[in-house]
């Protein structure tokens, strides 16, 4: 089934000029870019985006990191987009990401892990609408 998912290229990857390299990997794996923008999270948006992690031990580090610089939000489309993008980005925990995945190549730590990708179709819809509110009207899933 074809659907959309959300990729965020995080501040450590943008600071190291790895946006192009990451986008190339995604396009080479058959994902179509539907929307793309550079922006900075503010605290309100970051808390809303990561609401499920509030209270976890790494939450403070995660907020500080996500607010530290420019990010890129990308809406990606293809069949099985959510599981295939999760596979391509690799495990969150540094050292567990398989060779060849985006995080294997570009993560610095488990927090500064270069990218985020939605973990379900339902979350993809929520996250896409948070980052691209103009898509709310379009039933963009
Ligand atoms: P992300 O996929 O954006 O979702 C939550 C983020 O919290 C994660 O990537 C990491 O940046 C950060 N994080 C740091 N430590 C952990 C951890 N132990 N488990 C999950 N996420 C973590």
């Amino acid at each position: 089934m074809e659907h959309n998912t959300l990729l965020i290229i995080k501040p450590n990857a943008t600071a190291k000029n790895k946006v192009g390299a990451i986008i190339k990997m995604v396009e080479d794996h058959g994902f179509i870019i539907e929307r793309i923008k550079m922006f900075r999270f503010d605290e309100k948006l970051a808390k809303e985006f990561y609401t499920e992690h509030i209270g976890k031990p790494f939450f403070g580090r995660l907020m500080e990191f996500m607010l530290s610089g420019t990010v890129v939000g990308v809406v990606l489309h293809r069949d099985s987009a959510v599981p295939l993008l999760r596979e391509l980005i690799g495990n969150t925990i540094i050292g567990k990401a398989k060779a060849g995945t985006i995080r294997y190549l570009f993560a610095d730590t488990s927090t500064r892990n270069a990218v985020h990708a939605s973990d379900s179709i339902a979350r993809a819809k929520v996250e896409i609408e948070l980052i691209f509110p103009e898509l709310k009207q379009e039933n963009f899933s």
Side-chain angles (χ1 to χ4, degrees), residues 10 50 53 58 61-62 92-93 103 110-111 113 115-116:
K10 296 187 178 184
Y50 280 121
H53 297 299
F58 56 82
R61 281 198 302 277
L62 175 62
T92 307
I93 306 305
R103 284 172 170 164
S110 298
T111 299
N113 60 356
V115 285
H116 165 87

Side-chain angles (χ1 to χ4, degrees), residues 36-37 48 50 55 63 86-87 90 92 102 112 127:
I36 185 165
K37 73 171 176 190
E48 219 171 329
Y50 280 121
M63 284 297 99
R86 295 282 290 186
E87 201 176 313
T92 307
I102 294 174
R112 303 172 66 83
E127 293 178 0

